[in-house]
Amino acid sequence: MGHIIEMLDITKRFPGIIANDHVNLQVKTGEIHTLLGENGAGKSTLMSILFGLYQPDEGLIKIKGQEVQINGPLDANRLGIGMVHQHFKLVHNFTVLQNIILGMETVKGGFLEMEAAREKVMALSQRYGLKVDPDALISEITVGMQQRVEILKMLYRDNDILIFDEPTAVLTPQEIDELMSIMKALAKEGKSIIFITHKLDEIKAVADRCTVLRRGKFIGVVDVASTSKEMLSEMMVGHKVNLTVQKEPSQPKEDLLKVEHLCVTSKREGHIKNTVNDVSFSVRGGEIVCIAGIDGNGQTELIQAITGLTKPKSGNIFLKGQDVTKQSIRYKNTHGLSHIPEDRHLHGLVLDYTLGENLVLQEYFMPPYQKKGFLNQKAILEHANALIQKFDIRSGQGAVTTARSMSGGNQQKAIIAREISKNPDVLIAVQPTRGLDVGAISFIHEQLVKERDNGRGILLVSLELEEVMNLSDRILVMYEGEIVAQLNPKETSINELGLYMAGSKRGNDLSNA
């Protein structure tokens, strides 16, 4: 088996940073080859070069033995390269079928020829087990379905090199299993797959070989079957990583956050309905309470109501015994509530502000950061430098780097640093490790446990079942807007948790949630 792709000595520089520093990637025909590395290791940059979105400063690319120049995605497509991006590139008010053939339409006498296209799409969908409804609008289908549309887009273009950029970050455990089977089927058919991920279980499940990058440099390529997860994680971060969470049993104290009979309505499919339905629970100081559930079961709306991003229809929220249901977001922020939001770009950062400015977003109006209405830049800078060091936030130009130019993992660390440094009584963390690598995950888990042991109340919302089981002291399962079970992670299994999440099992005693 020869190499279908060879990227040799690829170097790419950005201001203050070498994203790829003489990197090599060689992929054999018909293999699933993973690209493993921490956030900001240069994986996405390397793939953007292969897909023609960036030009390398040095190095060369060979496809099927021939040296090529890839000036853009159209060139990449002509060479048989397709890519499913981390954030899907779909037109929401088009149908599935329209999205798949977009840019490849055949026109006859001024009319789109849809029948032949539909037949080809349905044949591909059957052949690879990619079930889709060709007439559904993208805006009405699940994220897992949207991903199938992206895969069909590549197959429709007869691409034989398929790049998957962190394809599992937004999927449920069942959808991840399906995707893994689809990838294996594609490789069996002779397609060559590059799979960017930092989830070691997924690499072990599907990949043949793995290329590891660290801080922009090529570390090595290994055979997956004969390499342990511990070894892979050590190559990736450069030191041994604890893959399990170290924590003592919790010593819960008094209630710090109490939610009583909360209802939140929102518009779904044109109808107004309760997305949070009569939810009551409490979080005590010194414990991590986790809300688990499949995405879309009301977790987002619940947290938005607690933090003040939306107004509840009814019910009450108490912070340290005080009713704060009707208080402003700023009031909650300055009275002991911190929030690591689900969407780091929308609610977590102002992307065009500097890292330093982002680290004082909720305190810039208080001393020492302002005096008589003027910002104290020196104090802001000192605060930023202290947090950059403590939380290992990596960026090209330190405190003056714009947030937009930082990698996702470092943006996330910045938000976590800001929220923890306010010394809150209650810390709400929504998907705090989504899209992060093992090094960053274990660091964030340590921070959350440390905050718990300092007597804070932590409310965690997570879709990662391993994280739910490892980190929480109590688990509340949400299904269709209601809390259907309260579980003790020491006495339950991932399978049982999955049954509650899917709604096929309900708990009895929720009186003391």
Side-chain angles (χ1 to χ4, degrees), residues 187-234:
K188 220 180 228 126
E189 292 267 328
K191 307 273 184 201
S192 308
I193 295 176
I194 301 177
F195 174 24
I196 305 181
T197 183
H198 41 237
K199 294 187 179 170
L200 303 173
D201 289 335
E202 293 171 6
I203 293 180
K204 293 296 279 182
V206 295
D208 300 303
R209 291 190 307 146
C210 176
T211 291
V212 184
L213 301 185
R214 184 164 77 232
R215 297 204 178 189
K217 289 187 163 59
F218 170 76
I219 300 299
V221 58
V222 295
D223 173 62
V224 171
S226 57
T227 311
S228 70
K229 287 201 292 196
E230 285 71 17
M231 184 68 211
L232 284 170
S233 62
E234 197 174 325

Coordinates of all heavy atoms in Angstrom, one line a residue, residues 187-234:
A187 N -13.5 3.2 5.0 CA -12.1 2.7 4.8 C -12.1 1.4 4.1 O -11.2 1.1 3.2 CB -11.4 2.6 6.2
K188 N -13.0 0.5 4.4 CA -13.1 -0.8 3.8 C -13.3 -0.6 2.3 O -12.8 -1.5 1.5 CB -14.3 -1.6 4.4 CG -14.0 -3.1 4.6 CD -15.1 -3.8 5.2 CE -14.6 -4.7 6.3 NZ -15.3 -4.5 7.5
E189 N -14.0 0.4 1.9 CA -14.3 0.7 0.5 C -13.1 1.3 -0.2 O -13.1 1.6 -1.4 CB -15.4 1.7 0.3 CG -16.8 1.2 0.8 CD -17.6 0.6 -0.4 OE1 -17.4 1.1 -1.5 OE2 -18.3 -0.3 -0.1
G190 N -12.0 1.5 0.5 CA -10.8 2.0 -0.1 C -10.6 3.5 0.1 O -9.7 4.1 -0.5
K191 N -11.5 4.2 0.8 CA -11.3 5.6 1.1 C -10.2 5.8 2.1 O -10.1 4.9 3.0 CB -12.6 6.2 1.6 CG -13.9 6.0 0.8 CD -14.0 7.0 -0.3 CE -15.4 6.8 -1.0 NZ -15.3 7.5 -2.3
S192 N -9.5 6.9 2.1 CA -8.5 7.2 3.0 C -9.0 8.3 4.0 O -9.5 9.3 3.5 CB -7.2 7.6 2.4 OG -6.9 6.7 1.3
I193 N -8.9 8.0 5.3 CA -9.5 9.0 6.2 C -8.5 9.6 7.2 O -7.7 8.9 7.7 CB -10.6 8.3 7.0 CG1 -11.8 7.8 6.1 CG2 -11.2 9.1 8.1 CD1 -12.8 7.0 6.7
I194 N -8.5 10.9 7.3 CA -7.7 11.6 8.3 C -8.7 12.1 9.4 O -9.7 12.8 9.1 CB -7.0 12.8 7.7 CG1 -6.0 12.4 6.6 CG2 -6.2 13.5 8.9 CD1 -5.3 13.5 6.0
F195 N -8.5 11.6 10.6 CA -9.4 11.9 11.7 C -8.7 12.7 12.8 O -7.8 12.2 13.4 CB -9.9 10.5 12.1 CG -10.7 10.4 13.3 CD1 -11.6 11.4 13.7 CD2 -10.8 9.2 14.1 CE1 -12.4 11.4 14.8 CE2 -11.6 9.1 15.2 CZ -12.4 10.2 15.6
I196 N -9.1 14.0 12.9 CA -8.5 14.8 13.9 C -9.3 14.7 15.2 O -10.5 14.8 15.2 CB -8.6 16.3 13.5 CG1 -8.0 16.5 12.2 CG2 -8.0 17.2 14.6 CD1 -8.0 18.0 11.7
T197 N -8.7 14.3 16.3 CA -9.4 14.2 17.5 C -8.4 14.3 18.7 O -7.2 14.2 18.5 CB -10.1 12.8 17.6 OG1 -10.8 12.7 18.8 CG2 -9.1 11.6 17.6
H198 N -8.9 14.4 19.9 CA -8.0 14.2 21.1 C -8.7 13.3 22.1 O -8.4 13.2 23.2 CB -7.6 15.5 21.7 CG -8.8 16.5 21.8 ND1 -8.8 17.7 21.3 CD2 -10.0 16.3 22.3 CE1 -9.9 18.3 21.5 NE2 -10.7 17.5 22.1
K199 N -9.7 12.5 21.6 CA -10.3 11.5 22.4 C -9.6 10.1 22.2 O -9.8 9.5 21.1 CB -11.8 11.4 22.1 CG -12.5 12.7 22.5 CD -14.0 12.6 22.3 CE -14.7 13.9 22.7 NZ -16.1 13.9 22.3
L200 N -8.9 9.7 23.2 CA -8.1 8.5 23.1 C -8.9 7.2 22.8 O -8.5 6.3 22.1 CB -7.2 8.3 24.3 CG -6.3 9.6 24.6 CD1 -5.6 9.4 25.9 CD2 -5.3 9.8 23.5
D201 N -10.1 7.2 23.4 CA -11.0 6.0 23.2 C -11.4 5.8 21.8 O -11.4 4.7 21.2 CB -12.3 6.1 24.1 CG -12.0 5.9 25.5 OD1 -10.9 5.3 25.9 OD2 -12.7 6.4 26.4
E202 N -11.6 7.0 21.1 CA -12.1 6.9 19.7 C -10.9 6.5 18.8 O -11.1 5.7 17.9 CB -12.6 8.3 19.3 CG -13.8 8.6 20.0 CD -14.3 10.1 19.8 OE1 -13.7 10.8 18.9 OE2 -15.3 10.5 20.4
I203 N -9.7 6.9 19.1 CA -8.5 6.5 18.4 C -8.4 5.0 18.4 O -8.2 4.3 17.4 CB -7.3 7.2 18.9 CG1 -7.4 8.7 18.6 CG2 -6.0 6.7 18.2 CD1 -6.2 9.6 19.1
K204 N -8.4 4.5 19.7 CA -8.3 3.1 19.9 C -9.4 2.3 19.1 O -9.1 1.2 18.7 CB -8.3 2.7 21.4 CG -7.1 3.2 22.2 CD -5.8 2.7 21.8 CE -5.5 1.3 22.3 NZ -4.1 0.8 22.0
A205 N -10.6 2.9 19.1 CA -11.7 2.1 18.4 C -11.6 2.0 16.9 O -12.0 1.0 16.4 CB -13.0 2.8 18.8
V206 N -11.1 3.0 16.2 CA -11.1 3.0 14.8 C -9.8 3.1 14.0 O -9.8 2.8 12.8 CB -12.1 4.0 14.2 CG1 -13.5 3.8 14.6 CG2 -11.7 5.5 14.5
A207 N -8.8 3.7 14.7 CA -7.7 4.1 13.8 C -6.6 3.0 13.6 O -6.4 2.2 14.4 CB -7.0 5.3 14.5
D208 N -6.0 3.1 12.4 CA -4.8 2.2 12.1 C -3.5 2.8 12.7 O -2.8 2.1 13.4 CB -4.7 2.0 10.6 CG -6.0 1.4 10.1 OD1 -6.4 0.3 10.6 OD2 -6.7 2.0 9.2
R209 N -3.3 4.1 12.3 CA -2.0 4.7 12.7 C -2.4 6.1 13.2 O -3.4 6.6 12.9 CB -1.0 4.8 11.6 CG -0.5 3.4 11.2 CD 0.7 3.6 10.2 NE 0.4 4.4 9.1 CZ 1.3 5.2 8.5 NH1 2.5 5.3 8.9 NH2 0.9 5.9 7.4
C210 N -1.4 6.7 14.0 CA -1.7 8.0 14.6 C -0.4 8.8 14.5 O 0.7 8.4 14.9 CB -2.1 7.7 16.0 SG -2.3 9.3 17.0
T211 N -0.6 10.1 14.0 CA 0.5 11.0 13.9 C 0.3 12.0 15.1 O -0.9 12.5 15.2 CB 0.5 11.8 12.6 OG1 1.0 10.9 11.6 CG2 1.5 13.0 12.6
V212 N 1.3 12.3 15.9 CA 1.1 13.1 17.1 C 1.9 14.5 16.8 O 3.0 14.5 16.4 CB 1.7 12.5 18.3 CG1 1.4 13.3 19.6 CG2 1.0 11.1 18.5
L213 N 1.1 15.6 17.1 CA 1.8 16.9 17.0 C 1.8 17.5 18.5 O 0.8 17.2 19.2 CB 1.0 17.8 16.1 CG 0.8 17.5 14.7 CD1 0.0 18.6 14.0 CD2 2.1 17.2 14.0
R214 N 2.8 18.2 18.8 CA 2.9 18.9 20.1 C 3.5 20.3 19.9 O 4.6 20.4 19.4 CB 3.7 18.1 21.1 CG 3.6 18.7 22.5 CD 4.1 17.8 23.5 NE 5.5 17.6 23.6 CZ 6.2 16.4 23.6 NH1 5.5 15.3 23.4 NH2 7.5 16.4 23.6
R215 N 2.7 21.3 20.2 CA 3.1 22.7 20.1 C 3.7 23.0 18.7 O 4.8 23.6 18.5 CB 4.2 23.1 21.1 CG 3.6 23.0 22.5 CD 4.3 23.8 23.5 NE 3.7 23.8 24.8 CZ 4.1 24.6 25.9 NH1 5.0 25.4 25.7 NH2 3.5 24.5 27.0
G216 N 3.0 22.5 17.7 CA 3.4 22.8 16.3 C 4.4 21.9 15.7 O 4.8 22.0 14.5
K217 N 5.0 21.0 16.5 CA 6.1 20.1 16.0 C 5.6 18.7 15.9 O 4.7 18.2 16.5 CB 7.3 20.1 17.0 CG 8.1 21.4 17.1 CD 9.3 21.2 17.9 CE 10.4 22.3 17.7 NZ 9.9 23.7 17.9
F218 N 6.2 18.0 14.9 CA 5.9 16.6 14.7 C 6.6 15.7 15.7 O 7.8 15.8 15.8 CB 6.4 16.2 13.2 CG 6.4 14.8 12.9 CD1 5.2 14.1 12.6 CD2 7.6 14.0 12.9 CE1 5.2 12.8 12.3 CE2 7.6 12.7 12.5 CZ 6.4 12.1 12.2
I219 N 5.9 15.0 16.5 CA 6.5 14.2 17.6 C 6.7 12.7 17.1 O 7.7 12.1 17.5 CB 5.5 14.2 18.8 CG1 5.3 15.6 19.3 CG2 6.1 13.3 19.9 CD1 6.6 16.3 19.8
G220 N 5.8 12.2 16.3 CA 6.0 10.8 15.8 C 4.8 10.2 15.3 O 3.7 10.8 15.4
V221 N 4.9 9.1 14.6 CA 3.8 8.3 14.1 C 3.8 6.9 14.7 O 4.9 6.3 14.8 CB 3.7 8.4 12.6 CG1 5.0 7.7 12.0 CG2 2.5 7.7 12.0
V222 N 2.7 6.5 15.2 CA 2.7 5.2 15.9 C 1.6 4.3 15.4 O 0.6 4.7 14.8 CB 2.5 5.3 17.4 CG1 3.7 6.0 18.1 CG2 1.2 6.0 17.8
D223 N 1.7 3.0 15.6 CA 0.7 2.0 15.3 C -0.2 2.0 16.5 O 0.2 1.7 17.6 CB 1.4 0.6 15.1 CG 0.4 -0.5 14.9 OD1 -0.4 -0.4 13.9 OD2 0.4 -1.4 15.8
V224 N -1.5 2.2 16.2 CA -2.5 2.4 17.3 C -2.7 1.1 18.1 O -2.7 1.1 19.4 CB -3.8 2.9 16.8 CG1 -4.9 2.9 17.9 CG2 -3.7 4.3 16.2
A225 N -2.8 -0.1 17.5 CA -3.1 -1.3 18.2 C -2.1 -1.6 19.2 O -2.4 -2.1 20.3 CB -3.2 -2.4 17.2
S226 N -0.8 -1.3 19.0 CA 0.3 -1.7 19.9 C 0.7 -0.5 20.8 O 1.7 -0.6 21.5 CB 1.5 -2.2 19.1 OG 1.9 -1.2 18.2
T227 N -0.1 0.6 20.9 CA 0.3 1.8 21.7 C -0.8 2.0 22.7 O -2.0 2.1 22.4 CB 0.5 3.0 20.8 OG1 1.3 2.7 19.7 CG2 1.1 4.2 21.6
S228 N -0.4 2.1 24.0 CA -1.4 2.3 25.1 C -2.0 3.8 25.1 O -1.3 4.7 24.6 CB -0.9 2.0 26.4 OG 0.1 3.0 26.8
K229 N -3.2 3.9 25.7 CA -3.7 5.3 25.8 C -2.8 6.2 26.6 O -2.6 7.4 26.3 CB -5.1 5.2 26.5 CG -6.2 4.6 25.6 CD -7.6 5.0 26.1 CE -8.0 4.4 27.4 NZ -9.4 4.4 27.6
E230 N -2.2 5.6 27.7 CA -1.2 6.4 28.5 C -0.1 6.9 27.7 O 0.3 8.1 27.8 CB -0.7 5.5 29.6 CG -1.7 5.3 30.8 CD -2.8 4.3 30.4 OE1 -2.8 3.6 29.4 OE2 -3.8 4.3 31.1
M231 N 0.4 6.0 26.8 CA 1.6 6.4 25.9 C 1.2 7.5 25.0 O 1.9 8.5 24.7 CB 2.0 5.2 25.2 CG 3.3 5.4 24.3 SD 4.7 5.7 25.3 CE 5.6 6.8 24.2
L232 N 0.0 7.4 24.4 CA -0.5 8.4 23.4 C -0.7 9.7 24.1 O -0.3 10.8 23.6 CB -1.9 8.0 22.8 CG -1.9 6.9 21.8 CD1 -3.3 6.4 21.5 CD2 -1.2 7.4 20.5
S233 N -1.2 9.7 25.3 CA -1.4 11.0 26.0 C -0.1 11.6 26.4 O 0.0 12.8 26.4 CB -2.4 10.8 27.2 OG -1.8 10.0 28.2
E234 N 0.9 10.8 26.8 CA 2.2 11.3 27.1 C 2.9 12.0 25.9 O 3.5 13.0 26.0 CB 3.0 10.2 27.7 CG 4.2 10.7 28.5 CD 5.0 9.6 29.2 OE1 4.4 8.7 29.7 OE2 6.2 9.8 29.2

